[in-house]
Amino acid sequence: MAAPPTAPPPPTAPVALGALLPDRELGLRHLAGPAEADVHGVHASEMADPSPYLLGGELLLTAGAGLGTDPDGYVARLAEAGVAALGFGVAPVHEQVPAGLAEACAHHGLPLLEVPPGTPFSAVARTVWRLMAGARTRELRRVTEAQQSLAAAAARPDPVPAVLSRLAASLGGHVTLRPDDRSAGNPPPPEAAAALRALLARVGRAGGPATATDQAGGWHLTAHALGGPAPAAEPAPEPAVEPGAEAVRALGTATPARAPGDHTIASVAAVLLTLLTAHRPAAGPEAAALTRLLLDGDPAAALSPGPWHVVHARGTGDPQALAAALGTVLVDPRGDPVRLLTEREPGARPGWRLGVSAPAAPGALPSADAQARRALERAEAARTPLARHAAPGFSGLVGEAEARAHAAALLAPLSPVLRETLRGWLAHHGGWDRTAAALGVHRNTVRQRVARCAELLGRDLDDPDTRMELWFALRWEEPLPGPGG
């Protein structure tokens, strides 16, 4: 059940150190080390060794209270912890940046900034967060526009090359589809091209990953499996694997730089290309639904009214074959369990345990997904090939056959008349007069019959647990023919 629109948003882009220097209100001055670095956060500390409290990528702000007499050792610890840059606030501890600190930063390649006395550390942090928020907004906008352009490309008469071309433009790099040997964008250098071929050979195979990443020749590489082996009738002009091995469809990307949203964009393209290159034509309602979902971001508007069934599955078979057997291409094979969405009534499939939700409208799919997960847990616990969502409440916790068998055994000593009286008495919460009026008998008759029920059942009818169990059984009992007493 592919869901690129609900994928997590891209991580926040870092702030370039150079973006802080022109800010006149901050008045920062670059003193030593590289002039550029990627800042992922801000942290202030006066500890002699703050490295245990750092994640890496921070602009560390300090007034030098913990600097001590060994600035080189201090800077070495920060560089080893992955600090992006050091901001040193002059006054009140130090009237100026110590010369030894600047020398150490130059030696270890750590950018050093001077923070003037009139600039609070909080102002530096606030500026970094503001720049990061702006970068995140721009990246989210870029991802959204890329999703829309990819969906539009998928609707063109020749969709596969259109999607590849659009993806290459969105990433600013090179993309390739194997084993079709289709590509778009500027080719990477030979070293990166060879590494990309090796990466594509790894994904999508038994025991291998569904996605993989690498770097070569300064280029960033990714490979995405596209849902299973390619048809045997489609040979690969340049096989990326050993001769005779089954060709696996995969999408590869190579970019000279990497932005936070690139993975999300490539994942959307991988889903579209999976549909477009599926064994059966993908130009049907499922592909149209996905396209509308990408464009509109509204599952209820994208899918037909249904009803739809969510299926959770675990097994040893091919998820794509399972999807085909259930009449759908809406499958997410990369998680555990495999998840599918189908309009057909699912049945048991060899090699799989299935949990099936109740029929649901598109707007109720999140609840149906939870139902399917619980149903799969019950199927695995009971070792049955398929379990369906049970009705809510106690009646849904026990199967119908088991419930009726328990009711028959528990109520066997009672005649139909006694059962009818017991049912009325429980329904009226043990009220003698109301039960008598409902049954059209004298209240003493009710008392006698209820006492007879307690005697035959060997139960205390004043016990609320007993009353609950009897009420449950009476609701499931099979009607008995004929009168009796």
Side-chain angles (χ1 to χ4, degrees):
M1 189 166 43
T6 58
T12 302
V15 172
L17 187 63
L20 296 173
L21 297 176
D23 192 319
R24 294 184 177 180
E25 292 186 4
L26 296 180
L28 304 179
R29 188 162 64 97
H30 175 247
L31 296 182
E36 282 298 339
D38 287 337
V39 176
H40 293 267
V42 180
H43 183 72
S45 174
E46 299 302 328
M47 298 179 64
D49 182 14
S51 57
Y53 303 95
L54 301 175
L55 297 174
E58 295 92 350
L59 168 59
L60 180 66
L61 302 175
T62 182
L67 184 59
T69 59
D70 182 18
D72 189 80
Y74 176 80
V75 173
R77 291 189 291 272
L78 299 184
E80 186 177 356
V83 169
L86 177 63
F88 194 91
V90 293
V93 181
H94 295 270
E95 293 298 328
Q96 61 183 5
V97 177
L101 182 63
E103 293 172 1
C105 287
H107 175 70
H108 292 283
L110 181 67
L112 175 63
L113 306 181
E114 180 188 76
V115 183
T119 300
F121 284 177
S122 59
V124 178
R126 187 175 300 171
T127 300
V128 170
W129 301 134
R130 176 176 55 78
L131 293 173
M132 291 180 73
R136 182 175 179 81
T137 300
R138 289 191 296 274
E139 189 65 6
L140 286 171
R141 185 181 300 116
R142 184 179 77 93
V143 170
T144 300
E145 292 173 352
Q147 287 180 326
Q148 293 173 344
S149 64
L150 286 169
R156 295 183 61 178
D158 196 2
V160 172
V163 169
L164 292 175
S165 178
R166 188 64 258 168
L167 177 61
S170 297
L171 299 181
H174 175 82
V175 300
T176 183
L177 180 65
R178 293 297 178 95
D180 306 65
D181 200 38
R182 297 183 181 183
S183 60
N186 297 325
E191 180 184 354
L196 182 59
R197 286 194 295 271
L199 202 64
L200 287 166
R202 288 176 49 200
V203 297
R205 304 192 177 280
T211 62
T213 62
D214 198 1
Q215 292 188 40
W219 283 57
H220 301 263
L221 314 174
T222 67
H224 299 255
L226 299 186
E234 297 186 19
E238 294 182 21
V241 295
E242 301 82 6
E246 193 173 25
V248 174
R249 288 200 184 280
L251 170 68
T253 72
T255 57
R258 181 128 179 107
D262 285 354
H263 179 75
T264 302
I265 295 172
S267 297
V268 171
V271 172
L272 289 171
L273 290 169
T274 297
L275 292 170
L276 296 170
T277 60
H279 292 246
R280 58 177 226 167
E286 297 96 340
L290 180 59
T291 300
R292 289 195 301 273
L293 185 56
L294 289 170
L295 291 171
D296 302 331
D298 183 1
L303 299 176
S304 67
W308 292 87
H309 298 272
V310 178
V311 181
H312 283 210
R314 283 196 180 98
T316 57
D318 178 8
Q320 299 297 333
L322 174 64
L326 297 181
T328 183
V329 295
L330 298 181
V331 55
D332 179 3
R334 302 179 183 181
D336 181 28
V338 173
R339 298 191 302 166
L340 307 97
L341 183 60
T342 178
E343 286 188 284
R344 289 188 186 177
E345 180 73 27
R349 303 302 306 172
W352 292 94
R353 289 197 197 280
L354 306 181
V356 181
S357 73
L365 290 181
S367 297
D369 187 57
Q371 293 175 1
R373 173 179 53 79
R374 291 192 295 268
L376 177 59
E377 291 172 354
R378 290 195 292 109
E380 291 180 322
R383 298 183 179 181
T384 58
L386 183 145
R388 301 183 187 277
H389 172 65
F394 288 112
S395 60
L397 301 178
V398 183
E400 181 177 352
E402 294 86 348
R404 291 193 183 280
H406 175 72
L410 179 62
L411 302 175
L414 306 184
S415 67
V417 169
L418 290 179
R419 295 186 189 186
E420 180 185 11
T421 302
L422 181 60
R423 180 183 289 106
W425 183 70
L426 291 173
H428 290 88
H429 308 289
W432 305 110
D433 293 329
R434 287 185 296 166
T435 303
L439 296 177
V441 297
H442 194 274
R443 68 191 308 268
N444 289 339
T445 302
V446 174
R447 285 182 177 274
Q448 293 169 1
R449 291 179 181 177
V450 171
R452 180 60 175 163
C453 288
E455 178 184 352
L456 293 173
L457 294 172
R459 300 290 188 96
D460 178 10
L461 298 188
D462 290 329
D463 185 340
D465 289 338
T466 298
R467 292 192 183 191
M468 180 184 70
E469 185 178 6
L470 288 171
W471 181 252
F472 181 88
L474 288 165
R475 289 175 62 85
W476 278 105
E477 69 158 337
E478 294 282 3
L480 294 179

